Amino acid sequence: AAGVIQSPRHLIKEKRETATLKCYPIPRHDTVYWYQQGPGQDPQFLISFYEKMQSDKGSIPDRFSAQQFSDYHSELNMSSLELGDSALYFCASSFEETQYFGPGTRLLVL
Amino acid sequence: DAKTTQPTSMDCAEGRAANLPCNHSTISGNEYVYWYRQIHSQGPQYIIHGLKNNETNEMASLIITEDRKSSTLILPHATLRDTAVYYCIVKKGDYKLSFGAGTTVTVRA
């Protein structure tokens, strides 16, 4: 069965640079969620989109923005990167209520 | 969303059943109990969910008490590959998942 696809899988950036993470949901899934997992921490919700509209917002820094496109894929844009942004970023998608996660993007900020 | 309480860790022998408890005493009527697991830095994996009735799928069984204030996830025959952090999460509808500390399950040969 098709799964959630995230790209890139690994990303290394310098401080103050920008990064764009992409998420391709499972076909026919209309809702996308972004989560951040810092080292040794549990995943924390950032933001979600339903039918291309923002549906919920968590503790997402103002430096981050995201959107969902007409083909339902989503992008998380991160600007002015800080060392503390180093983390795993997971995308999940759902059609009704159950969320299925992608493999994540590991971001390292140097 | 209601908060959950899980043991920090537990060990299980390979081939035996693993019973993972979860308390969610403040759960409301329209909130589901979800279980996910995360195997070392991989994406969280959906296991099972339920509202009131007990549920079973190819991975596990979920037993929810009649008052819905607690539940137990049962892995019928644990294998080494079941070693992971297991999260019990209560949520309603298409809402975000609020991950707590979870239970670190170690399956030993």
Side-chain angles (χ1 to χ4, degrees), chain A residues 26-45:
Chain A
I26 293 170
R28 294 186 298 280
H29 282 197
D30 52 14
T31 307
V32 169
Y33 309 78
W34 287 96
Y35 294 83
Q36 177 191 57
Q37 185 173 26
Q41 298 180 1
D42 303 300
Q44 297 297 314
F45 171 74

Side-chain angles (χ1 to χ4, degrees), chain A residues 2-9 22-26 29 32-35 37 88-94 99-105, chain B residues 36-38 41-46:
Chain A
V4 176
I5 297 172
Q6 292 188 245
S7 68
R9 294 292 310 279
K22 297 184 179 183
C23 170
Y24 298 87
I26 293 170
H29 282 197
V32 169
Y33 309 78
W34 287 96
Y35 294 83
Q37 185 173 26
L88 276 166
Y89 290 84
F90 293 108
C91 170
S93 73
S94 70
Q99 297 177 32
Y100 297 89
F101 283 77
T105 294
Chain B
Y36 282 80
R37 72 181 182 183
Q38 187 174 29
S41 297
Q42 295 180 21
Q45 180 186 21
Y46 165 75

Side-chain angles (χ1 to χ4, degrees), chain B residues 24-46:
Chain B
H24 31 79
S25 58
T26 59
I27 192 170
S28 59
N30 60 351
E31 289 182 313
Y32 287 78
V33 179
Y34 276 81
W35 284 84
Y36 282 80
R37 72 181 182 183
Q38 187 174 29
I39 299 171
H40 188 56
S41 297
Q42 295 180 21
Q45 180 186 21
Y46 165 75

Side-chain angles (χ1 to χ4, degrees), chain A residues 6-69:
Chain A
Q6 292 188 245
S7 68
R9 294 292 310 279
H10 303 272
L11 192 58
I12 299 175
K13 290 286 185 179
E14 300 279 341
K15 280 195 309 184
R16 293 180 288 278
E17 286 190 321
T18 61
T20 297
L21 280 54
K22 297 184 179 183
C23 170
Y24 298 87
I26 293 170
R28 294 186 298 280
H29 282 197
D30 52 14
T31 307
V32 169
Y33 309 78
W34 287 96
Y35 294 83
Q36 177 191 57
Q37 185 173 26
Q41 298 180 1
D42 303 300
Q44 297 297 314
F45 171 74
L46 291 177
I47 196 166
S48 62
F49 293 86
Y50 167 69
E51 286 288 347
K52 292 152 281 184
M53 298 289 290
Q54 181 181 307
S55 53
D56 195 6
K57 193 172 181 180
S59 49
I60 183 170
D62 292 340
R63 300 177 289 108
F64 294 7
S65 65
Q67 57 182 323
Q68 185 180 31
F69 295 86

Side-chain angles (χ1 to χ4, degrees), chain B residues 41-101:
Chain B
S41 297
Q42 295 180 21
Q45 180 186 21
Y46 165 75
I47 301 173
I48 199 167
H49 75 285
L51 183 63
K52 295 181 182 178
N53 299 322
N54 298 336
E55 302 288 344
T56 296
N57 63 20
E58 64 279 4
M59 288 183 67
S61 295
L62 174 61
I63 308 298
I64 303 174
T65 58
E66 194 168 343
D67 64 6
R68 302 212 320 126
K69 293 184 177 182
S70 66
S71 61
T72 301
L73 178 74
I74 302 173
L75 306 177
H77 305 287
T79 71
L80 298 179
R81 287 180 294 181
D82 291 322
T83 292
V85 178
Y86 287 76
Y87 295 99
C88 169
I89 301 169
V90 173
K91 80 173 186 77
K92 51 189 172 187
D94 225 357
Y95 280 46
K96 65 189 178 194
L97 290 165
S98 297
F99 289 84

